[in-house]
Amino acid sequence: MLIKRPADIPSSEITPEAQYVNRRAFIGTAGTLALAGLAVPATLAACTPADDRRASDMDAPELEQDEKVTSEEDATSYNNFYEFGTGKEDPKRNAGSLRTSPWTVSVDGLVKAPKRWDLTALLAGLAVEDRVYRHRCVEAWSMVIPWQGVRLRDVINRLEPTPSAKFVEFTTLLDPQQMPGQRTNVLPWPYKEALRLDEAMHPLAMLATGMYGKTIPNQNGAPLRLVVPWKYGFKGIKSIVGIRFTTTQPRTTWNDAIPSEYGFYANVNPTVDHPRWTQAKERRIGEFLRRNTLMFNGYANEVGSLYAGMDLRKYY
Ligand code: MTE
């Protein structure tokens, strides 16, 4: 896939739908095929240390021959976003109350200059990429989604965490007026997630602002959500308003709520079952037969080294 360079991208062109029509010309083969709903040929071999590679060499691995992009309708109407209800159809129905502009992101903790960033300034000038990723929910369903956004590492480099920072924590907006689910105590609010800093710096991790070539819909986490394709979907925190750098491992919402079922790492792993169901298989939305779940969701070549020597049963 082709990557637009900062010089090509005015900050106003992060992903608004109207401008995407022009941007489509810049999407490489895989993205174009994927957006057309076609299978993308598997060609890319990976596993080269990220820092040694030019941006254009760090495209996400492509899909297998038999994998198709999930329909936009399914991806935007079958959601988990408990701030708007616990049913899969609730977020689409209820998320219209979220105001996504203006949007500020507070950056604090172990960082050179703690600051409240306007979202546009936070992302200004960063390369916008198109990435077609598998999306595997811990509930054993999955999708394939074309995202648009920036690399998380590019944002982190802009923020300049101090050498003692080892983790990065993300927080969702807390506003029961806009987020009716927060008037219930179904989860501890605000929703929080976190990554080890080396995971966050991996080139596959992104902050998405768009999907299917359009501004990301509210129900999918507008205006900024985390996408970490080798982890279960609950790590993909939506509507981010806070980024904090820490030395110690932050607490996370689902791990706090039900620690025996949802770990900090949440790497997709077919050999470690959820206590109540198998993780060896998954239902790809739009397909009839269940698929085998792949180690690290099919990104083992790229991310496996992050976990070398770790007991993935203990650190689930
Ligand atoms: N982020 C927030 N703030 N609130 C949530 O309830 N749900 C998570 C994750 N991010 C959630 C969230 C879960 S469980 C999943 S599977 C994914 O979002 C779903 O993303 P999708 O609706 O775009 O498929």
Side-chain angles (χ1 to χ4, degrees), residues 74-76 78-85 88 91 135-139 141 143 145 147 171-173 179 182 187 189-193 211 216 219-221 225-226 232-240 254 262:
D74 282 342
T76 59
Y78 186 87
N79 299 106
N80 277 337
F81 199 170
Y82 278 29
E83 286 85 339
F84 296 104
K88 297 282 182 268
H135 176 57
R136 170 62 157 83
C137 183
V138 74
E139 295 164 317
W141 51 264
M143 300 189 188
I145 297 183
W147 301 103
T171 307
T172 293
L173 177 69
M179 296 181 143
Q182 290 178 339
L187 282 178
W189 310 113
Y191 195 102
K192 284 184 186 281
E193 259 308 335
M211 60 193 290
I216 196 166
Q219 62 269 29
N220 292 88
R225 64 98 45 95
L226 183 64
Y232 291 119
F234 69 88
K235 297 297 283 187
I237 181 171
K238 299 176 169 182
S239 305
I240 295 167
W254 281 104
Y262 308 108

Side-chain angles (χ1 to χ4, degrees), residues 12-292:
S12 57
E13 201 204 314
I14 296 294
T15 36
E17 184 175 357
Q19 289 154 8
Y20 182 72
V21 176
N22 296 328
R23 287 194 51 210
R24 286 194 68 146
F26 293 91
I27 296 174
T29 313
T32 307
L33 288 175
L35 286 164
L38 302 171
V40 179
T43 49
L44 191 122
C47 206
T48 308
D51 288 324
D52 300 333
R53 303 170 70 186
R54 289 171 46 247
S56 56
D57 297 330
M58 287 193 274
D59 286 350
E62 293 168 359
L63 303 176
E64 301 296 329
Q65 298 275 9
D66 66 339
E67 291 183 288
K68 293 189 169 54
V69 167
T70 301
S71 80
E72 182 181 352
E73 173 62 22
D74 282 342
T76 59
S77 57
Y78 186 87
N79 299 106
N80 277 337
F81 199 170
Y82 278 29
E83 286 85 339
F84 296 104
T86 54
K88 297 282 182 268
E89 283 136 37
D90 292 341
K92 182 174 185 177
R93 190 166 43 235
N94 299 331
S97 52
L98 178 65
R99 293 187 303 276
T100 58
S101 178
W103 192 266
T104 47
V105 179
S106 291
V107 175
D108 61 17
L110 301 170
V111 69
K112 186 176 177 193
K115 174 174 163 177
R116 276 169 65 85
W117 287 78
D118 176 74
L119 179 59
T120 310
L122 183 66
L123 304 184
L126 301 183
V128 178
E129 300 185 7
D130 294 277
R131 295 283 182 88
V132 182
Y133 281 154
R134 298 181 194 95
H135 176 57
R136 170 62 157 83
C137 183
V138 74
E139 295 164 317
W141 51 264
S142 64
M143 300 189 188
V144 174
I145 297 183
W147 301 103
Q148 289 79 44
V150 299
R151 281 190 202 164
L152 177 55
R153 67 186 289 169
D154 288 350
V155 173
I156 291 175
N157 285 336
R158 169 163 289 173
L159 301 176
E160 298 185 72
T162 64
S164 50
K166 298 287 178 283
F167 294 88
V168 55
E169 176 198 82
F170 303 88
T171 307
T172 293
L173 177 69
L174 177 63
D175 184 347
Q177 293 288 327
Q178 295 186 63
M179 296 181 143
Q182 290 178 339
R183 295 173 214 157
T184 74
N185 58 6
V186 62
L187 282 178
W189 310 113
Y191 195 102
K192 284 184 186 281
E193 259 308 335
L195 298 171
R196 240 175 35 200
L197 200 53
D198 60 336
E199 298 179 308
M201 294 297 282
H202 193 282
L204 293 189
M206 68 190 291
L207 285 171
T209 53
M211 60 193 290
Y212 296 86
K214 301 171 182 170
T215 300
I216 196 166
N218 287 3
Q219 62 269 29
N220 292 88
L224 188 72
R225 64 98 45 95
L226 183 64
V227 176
V228 195
W230 67 96
K231 292 182 180 282
Y232 291 119
F234 69 88
K235 297 297 283 187
I237 181 171
K238 299 176 169 182
S239 305
I240 295 167
V241 294
I243 300 179
R244 170 174 295 159
F245 295 90
T246 66
T247 306
T248 51
Q249 182 176 302
R251 304 182 65 155
T252 57
T253 295
W254 281 104
N255 185 236
D256 269 357
I258 320 179
S260 61
E261 299 193 359
Y262 308 108
F264 175 84
Y265 281 92
N267 291 314
V268 175
N269 188 341
T271 71
V272 178
D273 287 337
H274 184 279
R276 290 185 281 136
W277 57 79
T278 175
Q279 293 292 26
K281 299 240 176 214
E282 66 198 52
R283 187 171 65 88
R284 183 69 53 89
I285 300 297
E287 292 181 0
F288 182 65
L289 295 174
R290 290 200 303 164
R291 287 174 171 267
N292 290 330

